Amino acid sequence: MMVLENGPSCDFPEYNARTAEVWDRLADWWDDEIGDGNPFQDLLIEPATERLLALQPGERVLDIACGAGRFARRMAALGAEVVAIDQSKAFIRRATQRNADGTREIDYRTIDATDSAALLSLGEAVFDAAVCTMALMDMASIDPLISTLPRLLKPGGRFVFSVTHPAFNSGTARKIAEENDRDGSLKTTYGVAITDYASPYVHMGVGVPGQPAPQPFFHRSISMLFNVCFQHGFVLNGIEEPALPEGTESSTPLAWANLPSIPPVLVARMANP
Ligand SMILES: C[S@@+](CC[C@H](N)C(=O)[O-])C[C@H]1O[C@@H](n2cnc3c(N)ncnc32)[C@H](O)[C@@H]1O
């Protein structure tokens, strides 16, 4: 495990090239492994994102860091007109291949979301909504994206994002099990131990068990994440902290399914005033 401290900024632009290399390397494995869904996507991320997004047919939506396009396809199926971007050419290739039957037209582009000028090439005041599922913590810098989004969105547009929960499921968080005697019977309690939260740091870790290489995670506390949005005029007007329901199939005793009151994911909706 590598933990690096940084100064007051919560961006790490020096990691951008390395991040792009890692995701290009992971893309095919990642899509083979979870491209058709997993409990996190099916039970936590997508339902909460859909609720907060409340898409209307015909709306124009930008999917930022779309990966192989799983959520972009879902939004297109709900009737949205979708532009989907990712920094990784390999992921965009996968996304395009998955759309090869032409049933859902999605405009895929290889764009680095840390590059404001490239983002602005998409047009100004052209999107009703923007979405970024499980990727802000994978982006070396978020200020360029969040400072540019108000210009891409129409007035009153919304930005919905999901991240691994900064307080409970970030970088150096450790899942723990404790056994104690409660009134004569042994009880195992599962929880999370946190030692690093307030300062931003980079952590090389694993998003999906078995992945061929670790990826950089960029830890940002909730106040850091939200304050970047507030500084650029966004107003928080929706938030969910979904947890896996008890009884969800789990492969290890310390899986999130055994922590039904700890949310591994945070989903927020920011409004562009
Ligand atoms: C965990 S995947 C999430 C993909 C997809 N949104 C999903 O929910 O399945 C993280 C994605 O972030 C993308 N990413 C990381 N940094 C990026 C950047 N600077 N610009 C655009 N995409 C980026 C990666 O290429 C990868 O596709």
Side-chain angles (χ1 to χ4, degrees):
M1 177 172 60
M2 178 174 61
V3 180
L4 301 176
E5 294 292 335
N6 198 23
S9 160
C10 62
D11 280 347
F12 300 83
E14 66 279 17
Y15 273 82
N16 200 35
R18 182 166 169 196
T19 302
E21 276 164 30
V22 168
W23 282 108
D24 262 343
R25 203 172 144 199
L26 291 178
D28 287 343
W29 183 92
W30 195 273
D31 191 41
D32 288 342
E33 193 70 15
I34 65 162
D36 292 319
N38 69 3
F40 256 53
Q41 292 166 316
D42 298 336
L43 303 174
L44 302 185
I45 300 156
E46 293 172 1
T49 308
E50 276 186 41
R51 277 191 295 274
L52 289 178
L53 200 52
L55 267 184
Q56 301 302 311
E59 283 193 311
R60 197 145 195 270
V61 187
L62 175 64
D63 186 351
I64 301 149
C66 62
R70 186 181 150 82
F71 197 64
R73 291 190 295 279
R74 172 70 186 150
M75 292 192 291
L78 291 172
E81 201 184 307
V82 184
V83 177
I85 65 166
D86 201 282
Q87 180 186 43
S88 157
K89 286 194 178 74
F91 260 125
I92 291 293
R93 195 180 321 118
R94 268 284 170 140
T96 309
Q97 282 164 1
R98 276 187 174 264
N99 260 60
D101 62 3
T103 46
R104 300 177 192 111
E105 258 192 45
I106 295 169
D107 180 359
Y108 284 112
R109 316 245 188 124
T110 306
I111 286 184
D112 176 356
T114 72
D115 179 344
S116 285
L119 289 170
L120 283 169
S121 73
L122 296 168
E124 297 206 30
V126 289
F127 295 104
D128 298 289
V131 68
C132 182
T133 59
M134 300 308 280
L136 289 181
M137 70 285 172
D138 297 321
M139 280 185 202
S141 301
I142 59 169
D143 194 74
L145 168 68
I146 294 175
S147 62
T148 307
L149 266 178
R151 291 173 66 185
L152 303 181
L153 286 168
K154 295 176 184 172
R158 55 218 191 268
F159 172 41
V160 175
F161 64 82
S162 56
V163 287
T164 51
H165 200 298
F168 307 118
N169 185 18
S170 190
T172 56
R174 303 180 315 279
K175 289 200 218 121
I176 55 168
E178 289 181 348
E179 190 181 75
N180 68 340
D181 181 345
R182 283 235 191 112
D183 301 327
S185 56
L186 287 181
K187 165 105 178 135
T188 307
T189 310
Y190 300 98
V192 177
I194 306 293
T195 44
D196 305 283
Y197 176 72
S199 299
Y201 60 83
V202 185
H203 168 81
M204 295 303 294
V206 165
V208 176
Q211 69 186 59
Q215 69 200 67
F217 282 98
F218 301 94
H219 170 78
R220 302 171 179 104
S221 66
I222 293 173
S223 58
M224 283 178 169
L225 196 55
F226 285 8
N227 278 328
V228 176
C229 299
F230 301 154
Q231 276 155 17
H232 297 294
F234 281 109
V235 174
L236 177 72
N237 71 357
I239 187 162
E240 294 202 20
E241 295 177 289
L244 282 177
E246 217 159 343
T248 308
E249 203 183 316
S250 61
S251 48
T252 71
L254 285 168
W256 286 103
N258 282 330
L259 290 81
S261 97
I262 309 247
V265 165
L266 182 147
V267 190
R269 181 179 59 215
M270 296 281 170
N272 192 26

